Amino acid sequence: MAEPPGLPEPLPEPPGLPDPLPEPAVADLRLETVLGALSDPLRLRIVRKLLLESEDFDHTCGWFGLDRPKSSLTHHFRALREAGVTRQRQYGLERRSHVRVADLNARFPGLLDLVAAWTPRDGS
C-alpha cells in the first residue's frame, strides 16, 4: 500500500503582516485540546482545506465556501485558534487564518499528516 503524499511546504510569511490574535504559545499546546478542536467534522474540513489547497498565506472565511451562518463560522474559527491549530490575523474588518504547521509539527509530529490524509464523508 502506497503512503499518502506528504503535506505541501507552508507558504513563507509575507512581510508587514498584522500581529496575530491571541493564541497559545507552542509550549502550551495540549494534545487533548487540539484533538478536541479537530473532533468537529467542519473544523477538521477547514484545517484539511488550509493544508492542501492554500493559494495564499492566509484565507478569509469566504474562501472556504461554507454555507453556514457567520456566527457559526466565527465560533469554529475561534475554537481552532484558541486550541492553537490556526493563527488568525485581523485585516481591517476581516480575519484571515492559516494552520500553525511548524508549531504543530514540533509538538505533535505526524498529526497534520493524518489530517491531510483524512477523507471527509459527503455532507459532513
Side-chain angles (χ1 to χ4, degrees):
M1 184 168 156
E3 283 192 36
L7 292 174
E9 286 295 315
L11 296 170
E13 190 171 292
L17 290 174
D19 290 335
L21 297 173
E23 63 186 32
V26 177
D28 295 332
L29 294 176
R30 304 279 310 164
L31 183 59
E32 65 272 19
T33 305
V34 170
L35 291 176
L38 294 174
S39 69
D40 182 276
L42 178 63
R43 292 194 290 260
L44 189 56
R45 187 181 290 264
I46 288 168
V47 173
R48 183 175 184 271
K49 184 171 176 75
L50 280 171
L51 288 171
L52 298 178
E53 300 177 27
S54 284
E55 303 138 354
D56 296 314
F57 179 71
D58 53 11
H59 295 281
T60 64
C61 293
W63 175 77
F64 295 90
L66 302 169
D67 186 24
R68 301 286 171 99
K70 185 176 180 181
S71 60
S72 172
L73 292 176
T74 298
H75 163 75
H76 288 292
F77 281 95
R78 183 179 61 241
L80 289 168
R81 177 177 48 85
E82 289 177 351
V85 177
T86 60
R87 175 165 290 143
Q88 285 188 307
R89 288 184 164 87
Q90 189 81 33
Y91 291 79
L93 297 176
E94 66 186 18
R95 289 185 176 177
R96 297 182 190 175
S97 303
H98 69 269
V99 178
R100 294 175 61 180
V101 173
D103 296 344
L104 290 167
N105 282 341
R107 291 282 289 148
F108 314 115
L111 177 64
L112 294 180
D113 292 321
L114 292 172
V115 171
W118 172 68
T119 304
R121 286 187 284 169
D122 290 338
S124 64

